[in-house]
Tab-separated table of all heavy atoms in Angstrom:
chain	number	residue	atom	x	y	z
A	614	ARG	N	17.654	-2.980	-9.218
A	614	ARG	CA	17.908	-2.086	-8.090
A	614	ARG	C	19.420	-1.912	-7.965
A	614	ARG	O	20.089	-2.624	-7.235
A	614	ARG	CB	17.325	-2.621	-6.791
A	614	ARG	CG	17.349	-1.546	-5.693
A	614	ARG	CD	16.422	-1.868	-4.605
A	614	ARG	NE	16.441	-0.836	-3.574
A	614	ARG	CZ	16.143	-1.061	-2.316
A	614	ARG	NH1	15.793	-2.271	-1.922
A	614	ARG	NH2	16.171	-0.059	-1.452
A	615	GLU	N	19.915	-0.916	-8.674
A	615	GLU	CA	21.343	-0.607	-8.693
A	615	GLU	C	21.724	0.366	-7.578
A	615	GLU	O	22.873	0.394	-7.134
A	615	GLU	CB	21.743	-0.033	-10.052
A	615	GLU	CG	21.555	-1.017	-11.195
A	615	GLU	CD	22.458	-2.224	-11.064
A	615	GLU	OE1	23.641	-2.054	-10.689
A	615	GLU	OE2	21.986	-3.359	-11.306
A	616	LYS	N	20.786	1.182	-7.154
A	616	LYS	CA	21.006	2.120	-6.056
A	616	LYS	C	19.903	1.936	-5.019
A	616	LYS	O	18.780	1.547	-5.364
A	616	LYS	CB	21.017	3.560	-6.563
A	616	LYS	CG	22.181	3.880	-7.464
A	616	LYS	CD	22.182	5.350	-7.840
A	616	LYS	CE	23.380	5.679	-8.712
A	616	LYS	NZ	23.425	7.124	-9.065
A	617	LYS	N	20.204	2.249	-3.794
A	617	LYS	CA	19.249	1.987	-2.712
A	617	LYS	C	17.947	2.735	-2.915
A	617	LYS	O	16.873	2.234	-2.585
A	617	LYS	CB	19.881	2.391	-1.372
A	617	LYS	CG	19.095	1.925	-0.156
A	617	LYS	CD	19.856	2.243	1.112
A	617	LYS	CE	19.151	1.668	2.339
A	617	LYS	NZ	19.873	1.978	3.588
A	618	GLU	N	18.000	3.937	-3.464
A	618	GLU	CA	16.808	4.752	-3.543
A	618	GLU	C	15.947	4.474	-4.772
A	618	GLU	O	14.843	4.980	-4.874
A	618	GLU	CB	17.191	6.243	-3.531
A	618	GLU	CG	17.943	6.729	-4.759
A	618	GLU	CD	19.445	6.586	-4.625
A	618	GLU	OE1	19.901	5.816	-3.751
A	618	GLU	OE2	20.162	7.269	-5.390
A	619	ARG	N	16.426	3.668	-5.694
A	619	ARG	CA	15.727	3.508	-6.972
A	619	ARG	C	15.424	2.047	-7.260
A	619	ARG	O	16.290	1.180	-7.143
A	619	ARG	CB	16.595	4.095	-8.089
A	619	ARG	CG	15.934	4.134	-9.456
A	619	ARG	CD	16.897	4.746	-10.478
A	619	ARG	NE	17.203	6.126	-10.165
A	619	ARG	CZ	16.514	7.178	-10.585
A	619	ARG	NH1	15.457	6.992	-11.371
A	619	ARG	NH2	16.883	8.393	-10.263
A	620	PHE	N	14.183	1.800	-7.680
A	620	PHE	CA	13.748	0.434	-7.998
A	620	PHE	C	12.952	0.520	-9.292
A	620	PHE	O	11.937	1.215	-9.356
A	620	PHE	CB	12.879	-0.095	-6.852
A	620	PHE	CG	12.600	-1.579	-6.888
A	620	PHE	CD1	13.538	-2.481	-7.365
A	620	PHE	CD2	11.403	-2.081	-6.384
A	620	PHE	CE1	13.285	-3.843	-7.360
A	620	PHE	CE2	11.142	-3.443	-6.376
A	620	PHE	CZ	12.074	-4.329	-6.857
A	621	SER	N	13.445	-0.164	-10.309
A	621	SER	CA	12.825	-0.077	-11.628
A	621	SER	C	12.086	-1.365	-11.960
A	621	SER	O	12.571	-2.461	-11.667
A	621	SER	CB	13.898	0.177	-12.686
A	621	SER	OG	14.612	1.360	-12.376
A	622	LEU	N	10.952	-1.210	-12.585
A	622	LEU	CA	10.168	-2.353	-13.086
A	622	LEU	C	10.229	-2.325	-14.601
A	622	LEU	O	10.023	-1.267	-15.213
A	622	LEU	CB	8.718	-2.259	-12.628
A	622	LEU	CG	7.786	-3.382	-13.090
A	622	LEU	CD1	8.148	-4.696	-12.393
A	622	LEU	CD2	6.326	-3.033	-12.810
A	623	ILE	N	10.524	-3.481	-15.195
A	623	ILE	CA	10.667	-3.566	-16.640
A	623	ILE	C	9.676	-4.577	-17.182
A	623	ILE	O	9.611	-5.721	-16.702
A	623	ILE	CB	12.110	-3.980	-17.001
A	623	ILE	CG1	13.100	-2.974	-16.398
A	623	ILE	CG2	12.283	-4.054	-18.516
A	623	ILE	CD1	14.388	-3.578	-15.948
A	624	LEU	N	8.900	-4.144	-18.160
A	624	LEU	CA	8.047	-5.054	-18.906
A	624	LEU	C	8.823	-5.418	-20.158
A	624	LEU	O	9.049	-4.579	-21.029
A	624	LEU	CB	6.717	-4.395	-19.271
A	624	LEU	CG	5.673	-4.228	-18.166
A	624	LEU	CD1	6.141	-3.278	-17.069
A	624	LEU	CD2	4.353	-3.779	-18.745
A	625	GLU	N	9.264	-6.654	-20.237
A	625	GLU	CA	10.206	-7.047	-21.285
A	625	GLU	C	9.599	-6.915	-22.681
A	625	GLU	O	10.255	-6.452	-23.612
A	625	GLU	CB	10.667	-8.485	-21.049
A	625	GLU	CG	11.427	-8.668	-19.723
A	625	GLU	CD	12.793	-7.986	-19.739
A	625	GLU	OE1	13.297	-7.640	-20.818
A	625	GLU	OE2	13.364	-7.784	-18.646
A	626	SER	N	8.353	-7.326	-22.826
A	626	SER	CA	7.640	-7.215	-24.107
A	626	SER	C	6.176	-7.008	-23.755
A	626	SER	O	5.459	-7.975	-23.472
A	626	SER	CB	7.846	-8.472	-24.942
A	626	SER	OG	7.090	-8.388	-26.140
A	627	ALA	N	5.770	-5.751	-23.728
A	627	ALA	CA	4.449	-5.410	-23.169
A	627	ALA	C	3.319	-6.137	-23.900
A	627	ALA	O	3.334	-6.282	-25.140
A	627	ALA	CB	4.236	-3.905	-23.234
A	628	SER	N	2.352	-6.562	-23.113
A	628	SER	CA	1.158	-7.188	-23.680
A	628	SER	C	-0.079	-6.504	-23.102
A	628	SER	O	-0.012	-5.857	-22.050
A	628	SER	CB	1.129	-8.689	-23.364
A	628	SER	OG	1.037	-8.888	-21.967
A	629	THR	N	-1.203	-6.670	-23.778
A	629	THR	CA	-2.413	-5.957	-23.365
A	629	THR	C	-2.865	-6.362	-21.957
A	629	THR	O	-3.471	-5.543	-21.251
A	629	THR	CB	-3.558	-6.185	-24.364
A	629	THR	OG1	-3.760	-7.593	-24.525
A	629	THR	CG2	-3.235	-5.565	-25.720
A	630	ASN	N	-2.559	-7.587	-21.539
A	630	ASN	CA	-2.972	-7.999	-20.189
A	630	ASN	C	-2.102	-7.389	-19.089
A	630	ASN	O	-2.311	-7.656	-17.894
A	630	ASN	CB	-3.047	-9.520	-20.052
A	630	ASN	CG	-1.700	-10.187	-20.247
A	630	ASN	OD1	-0.667	-9.528	-20.309
A	630	ASN	ND2	-1.710	-11.501	-20.352
A	631	GLN	N	-1.141	-6.578	-19.484
A	631	GLN	CA	-0.354	-5.834	-18.502
A	631	GLN	C	-0.857	-4.398	-18.329
A	631	GLN	O	-0.246	-3.612	-17.603
A	631	GLN	CB	1.127	-5.846	-18.893
A	631	GLN	CG	1.738	-7.241	-18.790
A	631	GLN	CD	3.186	-7.278	-19.213
A	631	GLN	OE1	3.537	-6.792	-20.296
A	631	GLN	NE2	4.030	-7.861	-18.382
A	632	THR	N	-1.957	-4.085	-18.973
A	632	THR	CA	-2.626	-2.817	-18.715
A	632	THR	C	-3.134	-2.832	-17.275
A	632	THR	O	-3.881	-3.733	-16.882
A	632	THR	CB	-3.808	-2.624	-19.688
A	632	THR	OG1	-3.289	-2.408	-20.989
A	632	THR	CG2	-4.666	-1.429	-19.280
A	633	SER	N	-2.694	-1.854	-16.500
A	633	SER	CA	-2.999	-1.898	-15.071
A	633	SER	C	-2.505	-0.632	-14.392
A	633	SER	O	-1.832	0.197	-14.995
A	633	SER	CB	-2.313	-3.109	-14.424
A	633	SER	OG	-2.676	-3.263	-13.060
A	634	MET	N	-2.843	-0.516	-13.089
A	634	MET	CA	-2.252	0.497	-12.233
A	634	MET	C	-1.060	-0.154	-11.534
A	634	MET	O	-1.206	-1.187	-10.878
A	634	MET	CB	-3.264	0.985	-11.191
A	634	MET	CG	-2.650	1.818	-10.072
A	634	MET	SD	-2.222	3.484	-10.592
A	634	MET	CE	-3.581	4.363	-9.815
A	635	TYR	N	0.122	0.454	-11.678
A	635	TYR	CA	1.329	-0.068	-11.057
A	635	TYR	C	1.711	0.827	-9.879
A	635	TYR	O	1.787	2.050	-10.009
A	635	TYR	CB	2.468	-0.152	-12.067
A	635	TYR	CG	2.237	-1.253	-13.060
A	635	TYR	CD1	1.497	-1.029	-14.221
A	635	TYR	CD2	2.723	-2.538	-12.830
A	635	TYR	CE1	1.250	-2.050	-15.122
A	635	TYR	CE2	2.489	-3.561	-13.727
A	635	TYR	CZ	1.741	-3.317	-14.864
A	635	TYR	OH	1.497	-4.333	-15.747
A	636	LEU	N	1.951	0.168	-8.749
A	636	LEU	CA	2.245	0.895	-7.516
A	636	LEU	C	3.594	0.466	-6.970
A	636	LEU	O	3.875	-0.724	-6.837
A	636	LEU	CB	1.164	0.610	-6.471
A	636	LEU	CG	-0.210	1.181	-6.786
A	636	LEU	CD1	-1.278	0.495	-5.964
A	636	LEU	CD2	-0.236	2.677	-6.543
A	637	CYS	N	4.398	1.453	-6.635
A	637	CYS	CA	5.681	1.215	-5.994
A	637	CYS	C	5.536	1.551	-4.517
A	637	CYS	O	4.800	2.490	-4.156
A	637	CYS	CB	6.756	2.087	-6.637
A	637	CYS	SG	8.367	2.017	-5.832
A	638	ALA	N	6.206	0.804	-3.655
A	638	ALA	CA	6.178	1.083	-2.222
A	638	ALA	C	7.565	0.860	-1.640
A	638	ALA	O	8.389	0.151	-2.214
A	638	ALA	CB	5.160	0.183	-1.509
A	639	SER	N	7.805	1.486	-0.494
A	639	SER	CA	9.059	1.254	0.209
A	639	SER	C	8.796	1.174	1.695
A	639	SER	O	7.785	1.687	2.195
A	639	SER	CB	10.071	2.357	-0.102
A	639	SER	OG	9.721	3.575	0.534
A	640	SER	N	9.711	0.520	2.401
A	640	SER	CA	9.595	0.440	3.861
A	640	SER	C	10.975	0.275	4.458
A	640	SER	O	11.907	-0.218	3.817
A	640	SER	CB	8.684	-0.712	4.290
A	640	SER	OG	9.283	-1.965	4.036
A	641	SER	N	11.063	0.685	5.706
A	641	SER	CA	12.285	0.506	6.457
A	641	SER	C	12.243	-0.826	7.181
A	641	SER	O	11.177	-1.293	7.574
A	641	SER	CB	12.415	1.642	7.485
A	641	SER	OG	13.444	1.351	8.411
A	642	TYR	N	13.386	-1.411	7.362
A	642	TYR	CA	13.437	-2.666	8.096
A	642	TYR	C	13.635	-2.450	9.591
A	642	TYR	O	13.526	-3.360	10.380
A	642	TYR	CB	14.564	-3.563	7.563
A	642	TYR	CG	14.565	-4.926	8.209
A	642	TYR	CD1	13.457	-5.759	8.110
A	642	TYR	CD2	15.643	-5.353	8.962
A	642	TYR	CE1	13.431	-6.996	8.721
A	642	TYR	CE2	15.632	-6.603	9.564
A	642	TYR	CZ	14.530	-7.418	9.441
A	642	TYR	OH	14.515	-8.644	10.055
A	643	ARG	N	13.862	-1.216	9.985
A	643	ARG	CA	14.123	-0.945	11.406
A	643	ARG	C	12.925	-1.356	12.243
A	643	ARG	O	11.810	-0.891	12.030
A	643	ARG	CB	14.398	0.547	11.613
A	643	ARG	CG	15.623	1.013	10.913
A	643	ARG	CD	15.887	2.504	11.192
A	643	ARG	NE	16.535	3.110	10.048
A	643	ARG	CZ	15.914	3.877	9.149
A	643	ARG	NH1	14.635	4.151	9.296
A	643	ARG	NH2	16.553	4.366	8.128
A	644	GLY	N	13.129	-2.243	13.210
A	644	GLY	CA	12.052	-2.666	14.093
A	644	GLY	C	11.164	-3.725	13.490
A	644	GLY	O	10.382	-4.360	14.180
A	645	GLY	N	11.214	-3.933	12.207
A	645	GLY	CA	10.473	-5.013	11.567
A	645	GLY	C	8.995	-4.769	11.397
A	645	GLY	O	8.306	-5.556	10.762
A	646	ASN	N	8.424	-3.701	11.951
A	646	ASN	CA	6.991	-3.472	11.825
A	646	ASN	C	6.686	-2.186	11.067
A	646	ASN	O	5.574	-1.682	11.131
A	646	ASN	CB	6.351	-3.403	13.205
A	646	ASN	CG	6.822	-2.189	13.992
A	646	ASN	OD1	7.861	-1.622	13.701
A	646	ASN	ND2	6.051	-1.784	14.974
A	647	GLN	N	7.661	-1.669	10.385
A	647	GLN	CA	7.462	-0.397	9.713
A	647	GLN	C	6.534	-0.530	8.510
A	647	GLN	O	6.587	-1.525	7.782
A	647	GLN	CB	8.811	0.182	9.275
A	647	GLN	CG	9.735	0.512	10.433
A	647	GLN	CD	9.063	1.442	11.420
A	647	GLN	OE1	8.627	2.525	11.059
A	647	GLN	NE2	8.979	1.018	12.667
Side-chain angles (χ1 to χ4, degrees):
Chain A
R614 192 161 181 207
E615 296 296 319
K616 294 184 178 182
K617 191 174 185 180
E618 67 271 18
R619 186 180 296 271
F620 193 34
S621 303
L622 179 69
I623 303 145
L624 285 65
E625 298 291 344
S626 177
S628 64
T629 55
N630 63 10
Q631 293 178 309
T632 290
S633 185
M634 167 75 104
Y635 289 87
L636 292 162
C637 174
S639 72
S640 70
S641 168
Y642 185 60
R643 296 182 211 102
N646 66 339
Q647 296 305 303

